[in-house]
Amino acid sequence: MKMYYDKDVDNDALAGKTIAVMGYGSQGRAQSRNLADSGCNVIIGLREGGKSWQIAKDDGMTVKTFDEAAKEADIIHILLPDEIQADVYEKHIKPYVETGNTLACSHGYNVHFDLIEPPEDVNVIMYAPKGPGSMVRETYLQGFGIPGLVAVEQDATGDALQIALGMAKACGFTKAGVIETTFKEETETDLFGEQAVLCGGLTELINAGFQTLVEAGYQPEIAYFETCHEVKLIVDIIYKKGFAGMWKDVSNTAEYGGLTKGPQVITDEAKEGMKKVLSDIQDGTFKDDFAAENATDAANLKEMRAASQKLDIEIVGTRLRKACGLQDDDE
C-alpha cells in the first residue's frame, strides 16, 4: 500500500492552472469551495439556469456554462452524477479538451467502463474522498480532512500524479492520507461496497431483522430500536476501534451471541450472492443494467424508491425519530 500525506505533495503542482469543477451537488459544492479556499483558481461549470446555478453564485463562486468552463480550464474535474457524465462530456467538454489538459473525477465509473474515452494526449486522474460532501467540507473547515484515494489512468504530462495529489491536498485529504489505487480497483470495489454491504446489504439486513421481530409479535417500536437505531452506535465503535474493539465494548452475552449466531445469518449462500454481485460489476452486467434503467428515465428505480418509503420500518422509524427529537418535523 502506498499512502501520501501533505509532505509528499509538490506545492507548485497546481500553480497557474484553472480548475473547472463540473457540477455543484454534494461533492461538487464541497470540493470546489475547499479548492477555492486553498487558493486555487476555480470556476464552476453548470447548465445555465439549473437549480445549482444561483446556489453557486450565492456561495461566491465564478459560474459559467459547461462549454465556457471547459474551454477556459486546464483541469476539468467532473463531479456530475454517473448517469449523465458521458453525455455532458461528449456535448460540452470533449470539443474543448486540449493537449496537456487534465481530466479529473472522484469516481472512475465512466472512464473504467469506457463511457468516456479521453484522448491519449491528456492526463486522466482521480482523487476520491472516502466520505460524503458534507464531511469533505466540515472536516476542511475544522483544519483537517477525510481520507481518500488517488489514481492515474493516463500520464500525458509526466506530473499527473502530483496534479492529483495537489488537488487532494487542496481539499484537505492528504492531511488524513490518501491511498494510491487504480480506476479499475476504485470503481469495482466502490460499486461492490455500495451494493453488497453499505447500502443494499445493510438495509436488507436491518429490514429483515425488523420484520422477523414484528412477525413474532414484538412491538414494532422495540424492533426498530433493536435492529435499526442501535446500528449507528455499533458502527461508530467499529469505525474507531475495529471489530475487536467493538467486541470488547459490548457485553459478553452480545459477544458470544454475535460470534456464534452471525454466521447463521451471513451464510455461505449469502457470500455466493456477494460473489455474483461482484461478478456482475466486473463483467459489465451492472453497467449495462444501469444504462438500460436510465434509458427508461429510471422508471424502475422510481418505483422501488416509492415502495421503500412505504415500508413498515420507515413508517415506524419516522414516528420514533420525531418523538425522540432525532428528526425535524419537516424531514
Side-chain angles (χ1 to χ4, degrees):
M1 178 184 73
K2 177 62 176 176
M3 201 157 189
Y4 299 93
Y5 298 93
D6 281 356
K7 64 182 177 58
D8 302 308
V9 183
D10 178 358
N11 292 325
D12 294 325
L14 304 181
K17 291 181 170 60
T18 298
I19 302 170
V21 176
M22 302 299 191
Y24 207 67
S26 176
Q27 287 293 341
R29 189 180 189 190
Q31 291 190 35
S32 61
R33 295 170 83 189
N34 289 5
L35 289 165
D37 286 351
S38 292
C40 298
N41 182 23
V42 180
I43 55 178
I44 307 299
L46 293 171
R47 178 174 56 85
E48 189 168 13
K51 62 180 182 180
S52 296
W53 188 278
Q54 192 58 48
I55 295 174
K57 279 187 167 293
D58 290 343
D59 285 341
M61 306 302 293
T62 299
V63 186
K64 298 178 180 287
T65 64
F66 288 129
D67 298 72
E68 292 169 339
K71 187 174 183 179
E72 187 173 331
D74 302 293
I75 301 171
I76 301 169
H77 189 32
I78 305 175
L79 292 177
L80 297 161
D82 290 328
E83 63 269 25
I84 69 170
Q85 282 191 21
D87 185 62
V88 172
Y89 175 79
E90 285 296 320
K91 294 178 179 177
H92 305 289
I93 297 175
K94 184 178 179 180
Y96 307 105
V97 174
E98 300 177 348
T99 299
N101 281 173
T102 296
L103 290 177
C105 61
S106 286
H107 181 36
Y109 187 94
N110 278 270
V111 172
H112 174 60
F113 289 121
D114 296 324
L115 301 172
I116 290 177
E117 299 185 66
E120 295 181 356
D121 58 356
V122 302
N123 297 323
V124 182
I125 65 171
M126 173 178 58
Y127 69 98
K130 299 315 296 175
S134 58
M135 290 299 296
V136 169
R137 185 61 176 164
E138 181 180 333
T139 55
Y140 177 90
L141 292 174
Q142 292 170 349
F144 196 59
I146 62 175
L149 306 176
V150 65
V152 175
E153 184 78 358
Q154 286 183 186
D155 186 2
T157 62
D159 62 349
L161 177 59
Q162 281 299 327
I163 292 173
L165 289 173
M167 295 179 73
K169 180 179 180 179
C171 281
F173 307 155
T174 50
K175 280 186 170 59
V178 296
I179 300 173
E180 189 169 9
T181 184
T182 65
F183 273 60
K184 172 182 170 62
E185 184 175 59
E186 184 277 334
T187 300
E188 294 177 357
T189 58
D190 184 79
L191 292 173
F192 176 80
E194 293 169 349
Q195 295 170 25
V197 182
L198 304 175
C199 301
L202 182 59
T203 52
E204 284 297 313
L205 179 65
I206 291 170
N207 192 40
F210 173 83
Q211 290 177 334
T212 300
L213 287 177
V214 172
E215 289 167 6
Y218 298 100
Q219 294 182 67
E221 293 80 9
I222 301 299
Y224 179 85
F225 276 126
E226 295 300 335
T227 63
C228 185
H229 175 78
E230 292 194 38
V231 169
K232 181 184 184 306
L233 309 181
I234 296 299
V235 169
D236 282 349
I237 299 173
I238 294 173
Y239 178 84
K240 294 178 180 179
K241 302 180 180 181
F243 287 172
M246 181 272 290
W247 293 128
K248 185 177 180 180
D249 276 9
V250 300
S251 69
N252 291 339
T253 312
E255 181 182 15
Y256 176 76
L259 289 171
T260 57
K261 306 306 179 185
Q264 293 182 22
V265 177
I266 306 303
T267 60
D268 288 341
E269 182 179 1
K271 293 175 186 175
E272 287 301 314
M274 288 186 175
K275 291 179 182 178
K276 180 62 167 62
V277 169
L278 181 58
S279 176
D280 286 350
I281 291 168
Q282 292 170 327
D283 67 17
T285 298
F286 173 76
K287 179 258 297 181
D288 293 339
D289 289 346
F290 191 46
E293 177 69 20
N294 288 305
T296 67
D297 192 30
N300 187 47
L301 176 58
K302 291 174 182 176
E303 184 177 326
M304 292 187 293
R305 183 182 295 152
S308 71
Q309 293 170 351
K310 297 177 183 178
L311 292 173
D312 288 344
I313 192 171
E314 283 289 79
I315 296 170
V316 173
T318 298
R319 184 172 70 247
L320 271 180
R321 290 191 298 272
K322 288 181 178 179
C324 296
L326 301 174
Q327 178 174 315
D328 295 334
D329 290 338
D330 59 350
E331 288 186 5

